[in-house]
Amino acid sequence: MSKHPRAGSRIPHTFRSLRLPRRGAVAVAAAVGLLALGAGWAYTVQDGDSGATVQARTGDRPGDGAGAPRPAGTADAAPADSARATRGTRGAPGAPGAPAVPGAPGTAAASPDADRGLPDVSDETRAKIPATARQLLLVTGKGTDSSESTAALYTRPSAGADWVRSSERWPAHNGASGWNAAEREDGDLTTPVGVFTLSDAGGLLEKPPGTKLPYDHNRLFVPTGRGVNGESLAGAFEYVVAIDYNRRTGFSPLDLVKPEGEDKGGGIWLHVDHDGPSQGCIGIPKEAMKKLLGTLDPAAKPVIVMGPAGF
């Protein structure tokens, strides 16, 4: 991803800017935050993983689009184009064998010859998919070092049933340096490999009809700078789904807290593709993002399974 602004607090007549190193960012940011709380200052920090420039104003938390404040600790910034990843939480528990959600757009109808099962996914990866998950976005990379991939939505009616692919597949982009199945480092331009839950969404635009995930409609979903290959990032954050990799669920995708530490990076999103590789996020076409937002249902425990072919 690229750089993303964050709401700032005022220093009389000026802003003070601080660029944090990748390591030790938490301690420095905390110290700056304490000073700001006492003095009412505005400050900016550089998010080491995503490269986002974040402006913070003490006591200023953007709402969820309906004027309600977000929970304490929620970041007030729009993370950069491809915020780099972190280790993901394994799926949330739910009611095994819960019935499929009828009538959800894009989840029920599959073409007669649609794929069954999950192609190019190892038994080890399949074993990590929560039994309660009934919606799954499969992102398969062309190779370990490739930034090109393909995304497809799968559903199943109950635990243990076959996964059935919907009739659509979409071109996608991942990190500029490919995939990382081991220990990622902040800023290494790779996308994490694994199975991650999908819990929270948001975007610059209002939520599409049928959206069931919590959605933060927020003016701060605007990237700055340019993509890895110099391409424009305009519109990349019009629709966003946070990938639950080193992040707190139940918060806006704008939240920059990384529970497993700054060194692993974070801020990995599904977002609108900008026709180029990311710093770690997954980009898919805008219409695909709209369809996903109108389809993903918390009751179906949606997950994303992503990595190079055969992972």
Side-chain angles (χ1 to χ4, degrees):
M1 292 171 58
S2 63
K3 303 166 186 172
H4 39 282
R6 190 174 146 175
S9 67
R10 290 192 199 86
I11 305 175
H13 306 300
T14 187
F15 283 93
R16 306 216 181 266
S17 178
L18 172 67
R19 294 180 65 83
L20 302 183
R22 288 177 178 171
R23 304 185 186 277
V26 173
V28 179
V32 175
L34 288 173
L35 288 172
L37 284 171
W41 292 353
Y43 57 96
T44 63
V45 297
Q46 184 78 17
D47 181 54
D49 183 53
S50 66
T53 299
V54 178
Q55 293 182 345
R57 180 166 58 215
T58 57
D60 181 14
R61 294 189 204 102
D64 62 0
R70 283 184 286 176
T74 300
D76 301 333
D81 158 32
S82 44
R84 336 259 201 260
T86 46
R87 192 163 310 284
T89 46
R90 304 302 181 204
V101 181
T107 60
S111 60
D113 59 347
D115 292 343
R116 290 185 176 272
L118 301 174
D120 295 323
V121 176
S122 68
D123 291 342
E124 181 181 0
T125 298
R126 284 190 181 90
K128 297 175 183 178
I129 299 172
T132 53
R134 291 177 289 112
Q135 291 180 332
L136 182 152
L137 183 69
L138 177 61
V139 180
T140 307
K142 289 186 176 180
T144 302
D145 298 327
S146 175
S147 62
E148 297 182 359
S149 49
T150 301
L153 181 66
Y154 287 76
T155 63
R156 63 181 177 183
S158 61
D162 286 344
W163 288 103
V164 179
R165 182 173 63 83
S166 70
S167 58
E168 295 182 80
R169 301 177 71 189
W170 305 294
H173 281 100
N174 51 273
S177 296
W179 300 89
N180 193 326
E183 292 295 323
R184 296 185 70 259
E185 292 186 2
D186 174 32
D188 66 6
L189 296 181
T190 65
T191 297
V193 173
V195 179
F196 309 100
T197 53
L198 300 172
S199 306
D200 304 288
L204 183 65
L205 302 181
E206 293 186 5
K207 63 182 179 182
T211 299
K212 296 182 179 67
L213 291 177
Y215 189 91
D216 181 18
H217 176 210
N218 200 305
R219 61 181 176 81
L220 295 177
F221 283 100
V222 179
T224 59
R226 304 191 75 81
V228 175
N229 289 342
E231 73 277 11
S232 171
L233 301 177
F237 299 160
E238 290 180 340
Y239 298 118
V240 163
V241 176
I243 296 173
D244 295 338
Y245 185 80
N246 197 23
R247 71 174 298 269
R248 305 183 298 175
T249 60
F251 290 80
S252 167
L254 296 172
D255 181 32
L256 294 182
V257 173
K258 302 177 180 68
E260 297 184 44
E262 296 287 328
D263 289 349
K264 291 183 176 181
I268 301 299
W269 291 354
L270 275 164
H271 61 67
V272 177
D273 189 33
H274 48 76
D275 296 323
S278 72
Q279 295 181 24
C281 292
I282 300 294
I284 61 176
K286 183 174 180 178
E287 289 305 309
M289 283 298 301
K290 290 176 68 175
K291 179 170 184 177
L292 279 181
L293 285 168
T295 299
L296 297 178
D297 187 342
K301 309 295 182 185
V303 296
I304 183 170
V305 179
M306 59 189 195
F311 69 103

